[in-house]
Amino acid sequence: AQSVTQLDSQVPVFEEAPVELRCNYSSSVSVYLFWYVQYPNQGLQLLLKYLSGSTLVKGINGFEAEFNKSQTSFHLRKPSVHISDTAEYFCAVSERGNTDKLIFGTGTRLQVFP
Amino acid sequence: DAGVIQSPRHEVTEMGQEVTLRCKPISGHDYLFWYRQTMMRGLELLIYFNNNVPIDDSGMPEDRFSAKMPNASFSTLKIQPSEPRDSAVYFCASRPDRNNEQFFGPGTRLTVL
């Protein structure tokens, strides 16, 4: 079985500053990894995904994440955040080759201040 | 592309009443998922369908919950009778095939008084 840990429930940051949202996973099998964003009163939207290949994955809105197998991490980064990035961010894992069951982390609320 | 459509967006009901949530997946997607999101438990998978057939309902909390998918373009999640602890946001998601991501609808916010 897989599990996901997002250690930071909230991350406050000023506009134009860099940000890193942490995600660690646990699994006995190879995995796919995802980051979703949820804006207020909306559904989840895929930011980026790692299926295979390059461990550095680039997504929408200037976000990127790096898969680190030895540290079982998939941290999300953005070099310069904008007010509009304020949202809830969810890391998710699924068994490789089968995204039937996505296991989500508890989410990190990114709050960007002017 | 209209995306996943859910209705209603908000539902307020009284304990003991029947609640029906509706979902229209993206056309051509073979998989449909129902999730529940609460502050305490986060995002939980309740049940999912492949080609209208329920594959795994192990996340359905109890017999008061039931889900159907009568055709490829429509699914319902029913709670009967509803209880205050069922208050949550319920999301529907669809996916074209096994190796693709899930696309989420906007959710239905259910409040049971």
Side-chain angles (χ1 to χ4, degrees), chain B residues 13-21 60-67 77-83 86 90 110 112:
Chain B
T13 190
E14 293 189 346
M15 183 175 64
Q17 296 298 306
E18 177 180 296
V19 175
T20 300
L21 312 181
M60 296 285 262
E62 43 195 282
D63 291 344
R64 297 184 296 106
F65 286 69
S66 62
L77 178 67
K78 186 175 293 186
I79 309 172
Q80 166 63 18
S82 58
E83 296 182 3
D86 301 330
Y90 291 81
L110 173 65
V112 184

Side-chain angles (χ1 to χ4, degrees), chain A residues 12 26 33 35 52 61 70 74 85 95:
Chain A
S26 173
L33 292 156
W35 274 100
S52 65
N61 300 340
S70 62
F74 190 56
D85 292 323
E95 185 177 313

